[in-house]
Structure formats: C-alpha cells, structure tokens
Amino acid sequence: MTKNQILKITDECIKCGFCESVCPTLPAAGYNSIKGARGRIILAQFAINTGEELQISDSFYSCLDCFACLQVCPAGVNAGELSHLMKEEIAEKHINGNRVDIADMIKETILRFRNPLGLNKESAEWASSINFDESDTILFTGDMYQLMAYTKFINYVRKYFDRNLFNAFSRLISRHPDLIKLSRHFYDINMKNKMENNLRNIVRLLKMSGVKFNYLREDEDYPGMFLYDLGYINEFKKYANNVYNKLKKLNVKKIICIDPHTYDLMKNIYPEYIKNYDLEIYYYTDLINMNFEKTSEEITVQQPCHIVLHKNNYRALDILKKSANVKLNEPENLTSCCGGPDELLFPEIASEVSYKRYNNLKQTAGKIITICPLCYNNLSYDENVIDFSDFMIKLIK
C-alpha cells in the first residue's frame, strides 16, 4: 500500500522545481540535488520503479517535514509526505536493506523506557515544587522542553565524532538500551535552566488564566513522535495506542500540549491510528485569557512549521500583536523552518538552516520570539531569542 501511495505522489509531480526555491535543506546541503524536495521525488520514483541498489536513506531522513514545498507546488505535491512514506519503506527494510543506526537506537530506547533518553524522572523534576489540580485535563509536555538541554550537549559532542564511530555507538545502545541513561550526566546547564523556567512560566500563565489541570510527572509518556517521524509506523501504532489507553484509564479527557510537534501528533496523527479516539487537544496559547501590558518593543516571531504550514490554528500571534510591535518577514500563513528536526541525524544541515533563519529574523526586528522549544534551541544564538512564555510572563499586569 505504501508503495502505491509513493507512486501516486511521484506521478503527480511535474518536475517544475518550484519546491527547490523554498526547500531549506537544498542550499544547506550544498545544493546536493537528492537533499532537496524535487530530488527526493525523482529518487523515490526511481527507487520504487527499478528496485536498484541505492543508498537513499540520507535523502529522505534529511527532510525537515516542514511542508514548505507544498505551499508553492502548482500540482499540490507534498514532498514532505513522500519523504515520510519513504522512511516507512526504509524502516521496514523494504528497500535494499537500508538502515539508519541512530534511528534504530532511538526506536529501541523509546520502546524500552517511554522516553528517548530514558530520563523519565529527570523530565519531571522541573515541577517538583508545583501543586496541580485534580482534573480530567492534563498538561502534556511531550518531554520536548526537558530534552533540549541533553540533545544540545549530545550534538555538540557529536561534531567531534567520526560518523562511523557515532553509528557504532548507536548500534551498541540499540543492543544495550540501558546505556542511554548515562546521558543524565551530560547536558547544557544554561539550556536546562532556561527550559525548566519556561515550563514553569507556561504553568503560571495557564493558572492565571483560570485553567484547572493536572500533570502526570514521571508517569507521563513520551508521545512517540520520533517513532512516527523516523518511519517506524508499526511500532508507533502500538505505542500510541498504549499511551492512549493509559490516559483513558486515568480518566483523562482533555490534553494541553505545549509544543507544536506533540500538538500536531496528538491532534492529527493519533486519530489515524487509534480507533474511537476522543481526547480533546488544545495548544496552551489558546487557553491564555488575561491582560498584558503593551510594550512598544519591536519583535519578530518564529512561527512553528507544525502549526502554520501543517494548517493548525493557534492564538499566540494574536496575543503578541496586542502586546508588542510585531514585524514579520513573511505572510502570517507562511513560515520558514528552524532546521531542528535535522539536528540529531544531520547536525551540519540543521546548523546551516538555523543560522540562515536566525539572520533573516534578526534583520527584521531586534528580538525573536519562538513558540516551540525546538525552534528556541536551534535559533538561540544570542540572548535576544526568547520563548513566548518568557516574553509574556514579563508583561503581566
């Protein structure tokens, strides 16, 4: 079935190249054609039709899933969707035994620990002094804010590793997943403090808006985003159903998500794989209902791809417009990727994409507001990059 879906997409492509004008990975990869949107379409069509022995994984795993290509394609072709389908083929070993060692490592650790780094306890420490409500609504962090400090350190160290050595290390952890827990000792302390402060800011904004909610602390499961993004669909389906069933046993009815990736996953992807899915999913900015001071400060906004380009709605930009002088360097219904989804597998591409995006935003306004922990992590080249929660908490009347 997947192969038929792939061929349907590739047959609709007219090879015009409009997608390459907006694909962020193409210039970041030195205009290597197979790491651009059109190149991925052509390579997928060739691989599926011929079955040739090709090393194709880098092409599709380097796709940022930002859907920028879809916004300019006259034929309505989504190369991001195609890349995801090809990752399914690769992950299931349907194409020539292609293998991605780091992806396999992440799969094994998630399935074993319900957390990519096995840091369930550490991921809940930020809330140790907070009292939550008895409620059927829960704050679902997805561990995104919490994991940024660890992934930042890992990617810093990885720059000094030979790729083959890092792949060998990944294979070792795949066989012995408990080793991943050693990562608890290695993190960027400044990023950890900043992210935990942002989490507490989010809680404060919601509480001051009159929202009643609980938090599962160490019992919160990672939602499985990496399983889905890396193409492990069979594993993801089982995992997502386990997460859902656990939430239902706890009588959870409403979920407040605080990052765009978890929000998109639980709002749009979970229902595709879970029968009778009936959780109500909210983005935390949509629940903020309070008065803020008005500042004359000029700011620009890094809008998240998984909100804007994935056609989800949120109120964060409206809140910012009422509180500051917002300048955007693109229409409100468009945005450019921060490069974050490539950080683990392709740090060089992620770095090129993020620095280009940072410079574009910096030329627009003095302060850059992010509404996604991944965007903050990848764009925080200086102190003028600020998380939405941190910016708004300082404007409370």
Side-chain angles (χ1 to χ4, degrees):
M1 180 61 181
T2 304
K3 292 182 179 180
N4 291 335
Q5 291 174 283
I6 292 169
L7 290 175
K8 182 178 184 300
I9 294 173
T10 59
D11 288 346
E12 290 173 351
C13 176
I14 60 175
K15 313 297 188 298
C16 65
F18 284 6
C19 55
E20 295 196 334
S21 67
V22 296
C23 180
T25 56
L26 182 63
Y31 291 94
N32 181 343
S33 62
I34 68 167
K35 291 182 181 175
R38 180 170 60 173
R40 293 182 180 109
I41 296 280
I42 294 170
L43 183 60
Q45 190 172 44
F46 183 80
I48 294 296
N49 281 329
T50 67
E52 289 285 336
E53 292 290 328
L54 301 170
Q55 292 300 316
I56 62 174
S57 58
D58 280 7
S59 176
F60 302 104
Y61 279 94
S62 63
C63 175
L64 290 165
D65 192 31
C66 65
F67 291 5
C69 51
L70 178 62
Q71 315 308 314
V72 299
C73 179
V77 171
N78 188 343
E81 180 186 357
L82 173 92
S83 291
H84 189 270
L85 292 169
M86 288 298 292
K87 283 185 283 188
E88 286 186 43
E89 290 290 297
I90 294 167
E92 293 298 324
K93 311 297 188 296
H94 290 165
I95 296 183
N96 310 321
N98 274 272
R99 180 185 181 87
V100 180
D101 295 309
I102 301 174
D104 280 349
M105 175 191 74
I106 294 170
K107 177 192 72 172
E108 294 300 327
T109 55
I110 292 173
L111 296 178
R112 177 74 172 270
F113 303 115
R114 303 176 294 110
N115 180 289
L117 298 179
L119 302 179
N120 308 72
K121 179 180 178 181
E122 289 79 2
S123 292
E125 287 176 346
W126 67 273
S128 59
S129 62
I130 300 176
N131 293 319
F132 293 92
D133 306 295
E134 291 295 326
S135 174
D136 60 10
T137 298
I138 66 165
L139 184 77
F140 197 89
T141 71
D143 294 333
M144 284 287 285
Y145 275 88
Q146 298 94 310
L147 292 176
M148 289 300 102
Y150 299 91
T151 57
K152 191 175 185 70
F153 183 88
I154 290 170
N155 285 318
Y156 173 77
V157 173
R158 190 186 168 195
K159 292 178 182 178
Y160 302 98
F161 273 70
D162 175 81
R163 182 171 181 177
N164 290 329
L165 180 60
F166 197 81
N167 286 341
F169 181 68
S170 300
R171 290 193 294 272
L172 176 65
I173 293 179
S174 294
R175 293 192 297 270
H176 306 284
D178 283 309
L179 290 174
I180 198 67
K181 289 192 173 185
L182 292 173
S183 60
R184 67 163 58 95
H185 302 294
F186 305 101
Y187 54 85
D188 183 302
I189 185 61
N190 292 326
M191 183 62 71
K192 188 174 190 293
N193 290 338
K194 175 62 71 174
M195 288 298 180
E196 290 184 350
N197 185 61
N198 289 338
L199 286 164
R200 289 187 285 269
N201 286 340
I202 290 170
V203 169
R204 186 180 172 194
L205 289 169
L206 289 170
K207 284 180 172 288
M208 292 186 71
S209 297
V211 182
K212 303 293 184 183
F213 58 97
N214 207 342
Y215 172 50
L216 299 181
R217 301 182 190 271
E218 290 181 44
D219 288 331
E220 178 183 275
D221 290 333
Y222 174 74
M225 180 181 65
F226 275 134
L227 293 176
Y228 180 77
D229 287 350
L230 295 173
Y232 296 105
I233 298 303
N234 291 332
E235 292 85 351
F236 170 74
K237 181 178 180 179
K238 182 178 179 181
Y239 184 89
N241 274 273
N242 287 339
V243 172
Y244 176 74
N245 291 334
K246 179 178 176 178
L247 293 172
K248 295 303 291 184
K249 286 180 181 178
L250 294 170
N251 296 314
V252 173
K253 295 181 180 178
K254 300 177 182 178
I255 301 284
I256 303 173
C257 296
I258 63 173
D259 77 88
H261 295 261
T262 301
Y263 176 71
D264 191 34
L265 189 78
M266 299 198 78
K267 184 178 177 63
N268 300 312
I269 307 302
Y270 265 40
E272 294 181 13
Y273 296 93
I274 299 172
K275 291 182 179 179
N276 303 315
Y277 185 80
D278 63 351
L279 291 175
E280 296 180 35
I281 309 299
Y282 299 90
Y283 200 64
Y284 87 93
T285 60
D286 296 342
L287 301 177
I288 294 174
N289 183 24
M290 54 190 298
N291 294 319
F292 296 98
E293 297 284 354
K294 174 75 175 180
T295 175
S296 60
E297 209 168 10
E298 273 193 359
I299 64 170
T300 190
V301 184
Q302 168 61 14
Q303 296 202 83
C305 299
H306 278 255
I307 295 287
V308 176
L309 300 185
H310 286 223
K311 304 306 180 186
N312 291 307
N313 296 313
Y314 76 143
R315 289 184 53 245
L317 188 59
D318 293 335
I319 294 172
L320 287 168
K321 282 181 175 181
K322 293 177 181 178
S323 306
N325 182 9
V326 176
K327 297 180 65 180
L328 300 177
N329 63 355
E330 58 224 332
E332 290 183 14
N333 63 340
L334 295 176
T335 190
S336 297
C337 188
C338 70
D342 266 3
E343 190 178 21
L344 188 61
L345 296 180
F346 301 94
E348 299 84 4
I349 291 178
S351 180
E352 288 288 331
V353 173
S354 69
Y355 194 64
K356 179 180 179 180
R357 180 57 175 164
Y358 164 79
N359 280 323
N360 288 340
L361 292 167
K362 196 68 177 175
Q363 292 169 14
T364 305
K367 286 191 175 179
I368 301 168
I369 309 302
T370 64
I371 315 168
C372 167
L374 204 58
C375 291
Y376 179 85
N377 184 42
N378 281 274
L379 297 174
S380 56
Y381 287 95
D382 65 34
E383 69 281 358
N384 290 312
V385 180
I386 304 169
D387 186 81
F388 172 88
S389 65
D390 195 22
F391 184 74
M392 298 311 303
I393 210 78
K394 295 170 183 175
L395 297 179
I396 294 175
K397 287 187 177 180

